[in-house]
Amino acid sequence: MKKVFHIISHFDVGGAERVAVNIAKSKTAGYEYHVVELIRARSRFSRGFVSELQAAGIRYHRALMPDVHWHYVFERLAAVVFPLWFLPLFIKHRPAVVHTHTEMPDMAVWWFFTLFPKLLTGCKVVRTIHNTRLWAGLGHTGRRVERFFMRNNANVAISVSVRDSYENNYGQRPPIIYNGVAETPQRPYDGIVKDKINILFAGRLEPQKGVSTLISIVKRVSIGARFHFHIIGDGSLRADVERELGGMESVTLRPPIGGIAACLSSFDYMLMPSEFEGLSIMSIEASLAGLPVIANRAPGLADTLPQDWPLMVGGNDLGQYAALFRTLKRRTPDDELGRKAAAFARSKFGIRRMQQAYEAFYEY
């Protein structure tokens, strides 16, 4: 039995966490999957995350370090102390593959094998690169970590944008395995505003997601009675969003909603002004639900949509957004754009294709 350990930051919502779980749900004979948490999440989604692992028969290992949000200090500390509690787990199970996702787990795995290099014998390291920008504020450490992964031929990119960015920054051209995304049975969303064009933004309220542009778009196009914006998420810029948009009749603000992917077909459009992504799972989930995405042509976001997608804006240009919003109409059940997006997503981002591609990489 080949044991594969996925190391993720926390048992919570997140694109990288979703990818790890989707790989670990593989039923290929001869594999036993484990998911290991770096920082112990305690959000209202954590229990559901654990229940999903249990239902899928995936073994899991909870972290000791608590999830404390304070300038990433605790995340970095968790990476430093990770080898101390992971060593007994490693010796007990002797995984054939250690597969890491996102920077703090990457740092933790690098530090573990730096302290215990002999444990690399018989263990393959795999590292999925989930973003086009790496190691913000940690450039020196990041270069050391990257040398380790490149030396061990561990890297896999999730999109063309991620691959090209990595090659430009580090000189290695990793293979691409596109993230697999499951289609989610749909149910009605309880907050839809009748007789309006309902626009959804669902994601972290962080600079990467283009929150400043989101605020500008909403303020610019909300004059009139055509649109209602649903902004669902949390993050460091939440206070800005509440201050700028909280009092507007055309805006509903809600904290993160578990299972929002099951409600996407209720909306008319999804708005994604991200500055950059690795490969946007939310965009793919929207397409699979037949929900057209209004997107910035950003690395890792443009990859999720057809090249001739008509709802794409260059450089988060507010004039282009304004012109585009003037053309929007309420979506119908037989919407052509929704069908086009769904067909594209199904052809490119299947889960089984992803699982088999990684398992072939594990054997390589």
Side-chain angles (χ1 to χ4, degrees):
M1 184 68 68
K2 183 184 291 291
K3 295 183 179 181
V4 179
F5 274 45
H6 285 272
I7 317 297
I8 63 175
S9 62
H10 49 259
F11 288 3
D12 208 336
V13 292
E17 288 76 11
R18 176 50 43 200
V19 169
V21 172
N22 284 343
I23 298 170
K25 285 183 176 180
S26 172
K27 300 301 182 183
T28 300
Y31 284 91
E32 178 182 292
Y33 283 97
H34 297 238
V35 178
V36 180
E37 183 184 44
L38 179 65
I39 306 161
R40 194 177 187 89
R42 297 184 183 275
S43 80
R44 57 197 180 96
F45 300 115
S46 301
R47 184 173 297 177
F49 191 98
V50 170
S51 296
E52 181 179 359
L53 297 176
Q54 292 172 334
I58 301 168
R59 299 191 180 192
Y60 62 92
H61 309 277
R62 298 301 310 266
L64 300 178
M65 180 68 68
D67 187 11
V68 179
H69 298 281
W70 191 62
H71 297 288
Y72 302 104
V73 169
F74 276 81
E75 290 186 5
R76 295 171 186 177
L77 181 59
V80 171
V81 303
F82 172 80
L84 299 179
W85 75 268
F86 186 61
L87 179 61
L89 190 64
F90 187 98
I91 292 174
K92 177 181 178 180
H93 291 279
R94 289 289 178 175
V97 178
V98 171
H99 186 160
T100 177
H101 302 261
T102 69
E103 288 155 284
M104 289 304 106
D106 295 344
M107 183 189 296
V109 168
W110 159 75
W111 184 230
F112 176 78
F113 285 115
T114 297
L115 292 178
F116 308 110
K118 291 184 179 180
L119 295 181
L120 270 172
T121 303
C123 180
K124 181 177 179 64
V125 179
V126 176
R127 183 277 197 102
T128 297
I129 310 169
H130 285 275
N131 223 324
T132 54
R133 301 183 190 180
L134 301 174
W135 306 111
L138 285 172
H140 179 69
T141 299
R143 285 189 291 274
R144 298 173 68 187
V145 176
E146 295 307 330
R147 285 196 293 269
F148 167 78
F149 286 122
M150 288 189 287
R151 186 168 63 247
N152 286 280
N153 296 312
N155 287 322
V156 175
I158 63 170
S159 68
V160 172
S161 297
V162 168
R163 180 201 64 193
D164 292 348
S165 175
Y166 194 85
E167 184 177 20
N168 290 337
N169 283 283
Y170 298 103
Q172 186 187 66
R173 187 177 178 86
I176 296 173
I177 298 177
Y178 287 106
N179 288 344
V181 181
E183 293 191 51
T184 305
Q186 296 292 297
R187 64 176 185 268
Y189 179 69
D190 61 6
I192 292 298
V193 179
K194 294 182 179 179
D195 301 321
K196 303 287 186 181
I197 300 175
N198 287 262
I199 311 288
L200 172 65
F201 173 95
R204 292 180 289 114
L205 300 180
E206 301 290 347
Q208 173 185 342
K209 300 298 182 180
V211 171
S212 61
T213 302
L214 169 69
I215 292 170
S216 297
I217 293 170
V218 174
K219 294 174 75 171
R220 183 163 182 168
V221 305
S222 288
I223 300 173
R226 296 183 63 215
F227 302 105
H228 192 89
F229 291 88
H230 304 261
I231 300 176
I232 300 174
D234 202 356
S236 64
L237 299 180
R238 181 169 183 81
D240 293 357
V241 174
E242 291 176 338
R243 182 181 63 254
E244 297 290 338
L245 306 179
M248 300 178 66
E249 292 185 5
S250 60
V251 177
T252 299
L253 304 179
R254 294 185 67 173
I257 297 174
I260 188 62
C263 304
L264 296 177
S265 64
S266 297
F267 298 89
D268 292 296
Y269 300 92
M270 172 169 279
L271 175 58
M272 299 192 71
S274 298
E275 298 289 341
F276 63 94
E277 298 275 354
L279 188 74
S280 174
I281 299 296
M282 182 58 73
S283 174
I284 299 169
E285 288 176 332
S287 291
L288 289 172
L291 176 63
V293 177
I294 302 167
N296 183 33
R297 191 177 294 280
L301 179 54
D303 305 72
T304 66
L305 296 162
Q307 286 190 341
D308 59 348
W309 188 244
L311 303 183
M312 197 83 73
V313 169
N316 264 342
D317 183 272
L318 293 177
Q320 292 182 39
Y321 279 117
L324 192 155
F325 270 81
R326 285 194 291 269
T327 70
L328 296 184
K329 299 178 181 179
R330 293 178 63 189
R331 196 162 61 89
T332 60
D334 60 347
D335 175 67
E336 181 181 351
L337 274 181
R339 291 200 309 270
K340 179 178 181 178
F344 178 81
R346 290 187 186 112
S347 69
K348 197 166 184 178
F349 304 111
I351 282 186
R352 187 57 185 156
R353 176 185 292 183
M354 175 186 68
Q355 291 170 340
Q356 292 174 330
Y358 273 111
E359 287 168 349
F361 192 77
Y362 297 158
E363 301 290 343
Y364 177 70

